[in-house]
Amino acid sequence: MRRRPKDRKEQIARAAAEAFSRFGYYGVSMEMIASRVGITAAALYRHYPGKYDLFRGAVLGLGQQLVDCTAFADDEPLDDPQDQLHRLIAALVDTSLANRNSGGLYRWEGRYLRGDDQAELIAQMRKVHRRIQRPLNEMRPGLTSTQRWTLSTAVISVIGSIVDHRAKLPAAQVRRLIAELADTVVRTDLPVEPDGDRLLSTGQPVRTDTSRYEALLSESMRLFNLKGYRDTSMEDIAAAVGMPASGIYRYFPGKSDILAAAFRRAADRLSAELSAVAAAATDPEDALTRVIDAYVERSFAEPELDYVYYSERLNMSPADQKILRNMQRATVESVVELVVAVRPQWTPAQARFAVHAAMSLVIDLGRLMNYRHTVQNYATVVRMLEATLLGRYRLRTTLPTK
């Protein structure tokens, strides 16, 4: 007689979190999760009424792990704020490593939570932010509220980047490296610009190609970012471009093909731009700083690209996902070469984790700032990337004027 394991519900929760993280909310069925656990779908329904309940439990369960691992900070005096901050960072790194196969769920799929569930996830993350900000405020009492949120977001972003890629490095080295990067960003002096609110651009790319093909790509990405891939219809895209929905099929077989084509086009352009920027540099450090400038500039000009890539890439075919992964890997490796040349004490594997951390910072800080392309925001994000990849930041005498 087979006995049900005592931790069956925990097994289901782990399997659900990994499945939702890998395939997305809409790519997972109750049957898939039951198969991963080794039970029937009927048995799974005895534990959870439906897929959303599993999803809710998986996302909020991950958020609760972040809350639980940092709870010690509420119960002790701040005699040594620096030590407490280091222990908070270490706890978050350990939790992220333990959930590396599913941690992306709360970062990219949490948007599918409903009503009070969405509010609960936000409350969980705010609690973790507050715990980081408490010792930070003691260490740096002159920080404004905006600066504290910027720095706590940067810390969580660097740590959270672990779950966004599959680069390999021994766990002990990951702990040391990510803790070092988090400590670096939290100590970075944030720039204060006299005309910090001045807009550098409208936040929208200047399009010289007005063809229907280009318009379909750009408007689709804008809508995918605004409404989500699943809630954007072909009719929505057609209306934004000013054409009948049937006309789209002259260019693309389906919606997922639009998504894949937009990403390939963006990846090609980014690769060409970064290569040209690096080629014009005088040495590796100059090349790396130019690449940082160009990457941040592109992210503010086209803010939907990175976020939609991470949040909607699972809606592409497996073949298109593989192509995009290879293109992204090539871009990452080109930056890794520059980082290793500037910081020879790092191995390529260590530099790879740092580059992914920098990419995560661009997304998370950009979203915090609502991608307002101001002098202040641009300088802040650039400085954070310099701290992450160079280990220091440059004092600038000039800033972009466009």
Side-chain angles (χ1 to χ4, degrees):
M1 179 177 176
R2 295 184 62 187
R3 295 184 180 276
R4 186 174 62 191
K6 293 182 179 180
D7 65 342
R8 174 68 82 200
K9 198 155 189 176
E10 290 76 8
Q11 289 180 1
I12 293 171
R14 286 195 299 271
E18 292 180 4
F20 285 124
S21 184
R22 180 176 178 183
F23 299 105
Y25 178 69
Y26 287 101
V28 172
S29 66
M30 294 289 276
E31 289 74 18
M32 175 190 291
I33 296 172
S35 175
R36 285 171 166 250
V37 181
I39 60 177
T40 65
L44 183 58
Y45 279 106
R46 286 200 292 269
H47 293 280
Y48 293 92
K51 186 173 80 168
Y52 178 79
D53 302 277
L54 263 172
F55 175 73
R56 174 193 179 279
V59 177
L60 296 181
L62 287 167
Q64 191 60 43
Q65 286 190 52
L66 299 177
V67 172
D68 291 344
C69 78
T70 57
F72 68 87
D74 293 342
D75 301 323
E76 59 184 38
L78 265 179
D79 297 329
D80 189 343
Q82 179 174 306
D83 176 69
Q84 186 180 96
L85 182 59
H86 286 166
R87 287 188 291 122
L88 284 167
I89 290 171
L92 290 169
V93 171
D94 284 344
T95 301
S96 296
L97 279 174
N99 294 282
R100 195 174 182 192
N101 291 331
S102 57
L105 185 58
Y106 83 89
R107 281 172 64 76
W108 308 115
E109 295 294 305
R111 66 194 187 281
Y112 292 120
L113 289 175
R114 304 167 187 163
D116 291 343
D117 296 334
Q118 183 69 246
E120 183 175 346
L121 178 62
I122 293 171
Q124 288 174 336
M125 297 312 301
R126 282 185 175 275
K127 183 170 290 188
V128 176
H129 275 276
R130 295 292 188 190
R131 287 170 176 166
I132 293 172
Q133 291 173 16
R134 182 168 171 251
L136 178 59
N137 195 43
E138 291 292 318
M139 295 165 58
R140 304 180 62 178
L143 293 173
T144 65
S145 174
T146 297
Q147 290 173 328
R148 286 195 297 272
W149 279 95
T150 297
L151 292 175
S152 63
T153 297
V155 169
I156 293 174
S157 180
V158 166
I159 297 171
S161 69
I162 298 171
V163 307
D164 291 339
H165 61 90
R166 292 294 171 261
K168 297 186 182 301
L169 198 62
Q173 290 189 38
V174 175
R175 289 186 178 93
R176 286 195 299 270
L177 177 64
I178 298 300
E180 174 191 335
L181 295 178
D183 189 60
T184 298
V185 297
V186 84
R187 292 177 178 278
T188 298
D189 290 326
L190 298 179
V192 178
E193 303 296 336
D195 58 347
D197 288 335
R198 175 169 59 86
L199 288 173
L200 291 173
S201 73
T202 61
Q204 294 294 328
V206 177
R207 299 185 177 96
T208 57
D209 189 335
T210 58
S211 69
R212 285 289 177 87
Y213 181 83
E214 291 293 336
L216 285 169
L217 292 180
S218 60
E219 287 301 313
S220 296
M221 293 301 286
R222 184 182 65 82
L223 290 171
F224 293 156
N225 183 54
L226 181 66
K227 302 176 62 176
Y229 175 86
R230 292 281 176 170
D231 292 328
T232 299
S233 66
M234 295 293 264
E235 288 74 17
D236 293 331
I237 297 170
V241 177
M243 64 186 298
S246 59
I248 298 179
Y249 296 98
R250 294 201 298 267
Y251 300 92
F252 300 100
K255 192 166 64 168
S256 67
D257 300 284
I258 300 176
L259 188 65
F263 285 143
R264 286 197 298 270
R265 175 64 56 85
D268 281 336
R269 288 177 173 173
L270 175 62
S271 177
E273 181 181 1
L274 296 188
S275 295
V277 167
T282 57
D283 56 58
E285 181 168 327
D286 183 39
L288 182 56
T289 54
R290 286 173 181 254
V291 164
I292 289 171
D293 287 344
Y295 192 83
V296 174
E297 183 69 33
R298 183 204 66 96
S299 74
F300 275 93
E302 300 178 288
E304 65 274 6
L305 286 175
D306 288 332
Y307 179 72
V308 173
Y309 173 75
Y310 282 103
S311 62
E312 306 291 2
R313 58 185 171 178
L314 297 176
N315 290 300
M316 295 186 294
S317 70
D320 283 329
Q321 289 182 45
K322 183 176 180 180
I323 291 172
L324 263 295
R325 281 197 303 271
N326 291 337
M327 295 176 76
Q328 187 203 41
R329 189 176 294 118
T331 298
V332 168
E333 290 307 308
S334 67
V335 182
V336 165
E337 290 180 9
L338 295 175
V339 173
V340 172
V342 174
R343 304 185 75 170
Q345 73 273 23
W346 277 356
T347 65
Q350 290 172 311
R352 201 167 291 119
F353 271 78
V355 170
H356 281 289
M359 295 169 71
S360 179
L361 280 168
V362 172
I363 299 173
D364 292 330
L365 290 177
R367 293 174 68 193
L368 178 70
M369 300 166 175
N370 293 317
Y371 285 101
R372 289 193 70 246
H373 198 178
T374 64
V375 172
Q376 184 72 34
N377 289 345
Y378 174 84
T380 297
V381 177
V382 166
R383 182 167 291 191
M384 285 297 189
L385 264 65
E386 290 173 345
T388 302
L389 299 179
L390 291 167
R392 62 188 185 282
Y393 58 86
R394 297 167 293 162
L395 294 176
R396 293 165 176 262
T397 57
T398 60
L399 284 165
T401 57
K402 68 179 182 177

